Amino acid sequence: MIDAAHIVRSGTGILFVTLDSLRYDVAHTALAKGQTPQLARLLPNGAWERRHTSGTFTLPAHMAFFSGFLPKLPQPEQPPRLWECRPPAFKTVTPGTFVFESPNLLAGLAQFGYRTVCIGGVTYFSRETPLGSVLPDMFDDDHWRPEFCSPEPDSTRHQVDQALAVADAHADRPLFLFVNVSATHVPHGHYLDDSADTTRSQQAALAYADPHLGRLITSLTRRNPWLIILCADHGDTYGDNGYHGRGIAHPKVVNVPYAAWHAQPATLTPHERDPH
């Protein structure tokens, strides 16, 4: 059980990565085939959880995430939420849930001294359009360049380089670091010799991103603990039941991979990790 309330009060770094458009079945298959060895090494129990997202495309999904609504398990009973806006008086919240007194999580974390930084990926984070400013405006700082976007074959490397530079620049204060990985968003056919976008090319895109995600997480947690959250914002359809794209309540769109864990520094001794 992750005690997010304690994590925030202690000023622990938070890394939140969304793998844009990544279907659960694609993530699961890539892991089973050994295409994502870094994720296999890092994920709790070496596996993804299958969860349901609240949004069927990037904008509503991230608005839900930043309002405190992470993907839910596909079952009636749910574990305690990591965080949520202060609820009405009649509702009780578990002690481990971080309750924020603000209209969104980012403003709530800022009240606890966090610097919130966005490393954009898809164009909803680019500020190229009015809608492309809605999500970045929620952060203290945001970064986006064309090479962060999905048409660039090496987008994740560029994004991770930027994320690590941000972490170094803010090493003296609590950081909420958000990365929207665009490689798994269409177009990704170029990861298979410029073929059409398919589940196979999305697997190849995830395989490409895997070592860079491993580098990001390993670098951040080398000396300090971090709360790590990885998930997709939604899935995508590639002819499933005749459907193409997203923004529809199709199971391939709604089912997303999810993982969260409190990563402890790999280089610390057991006494340094828990001096008590």
Side-chain angles (χ1 to χ4, degrees), residues 80-168:
R81 290 168 59 183
L82 288 181
W83 36 59
E84 64 176 290
C85 179
R86 179 178 54 78
F90 64 82
K91 182 181 178 182
T92 59
V93 179
T94 59
T97 296
F98 167 57
V99 178
F100 50 91
E101 289 275 350
S102 61
N104 63 68
L105 171 66
L106 306 172
L109 288 170
Q111 293 173 357
F112 282 76
Y114 278 78
R115 190 74 178 175
T116 61
V117 182
C118 169
I119 310 298
V122 302
T123 52
Y124 277 109
F125 297 94
S126 70
R127 295 191 181 275
E128 292 185 319
T129 68
L131 276 180
S133 297
V134 171
L135 296 171
D137 277 346
M138 300 173 75
F139 291 81
D140 293 319
D141 303 309
D142 63 280
H143 302 266
W144 187 89
R145 301 195 302 271
E147 57 265 37
F148 292 176
C149 204
S150 52
E152 163 58 49
D154 211 10
S155 59
T156 310
R157 177 176 67 84
H158 294 301
Q159 290 182 288
V160 168
D161 287 347
Q162 181 69 64
L164 291 175
V166 165
D168 287 342

Side-chain angles (χ1 to χ4, degrees), residues 1 4 13 27 47 56 78 96 116-117 124 129 158 178 182 184 201 211 236 251 270:
M1 188 78 65
T56 59
Q78 299 293 322
T116 61
V117 182
Y124 277 109
T129 68
H158 294 301
F178 169 74
S182 69
T184 46
S201 62
D236 217 336

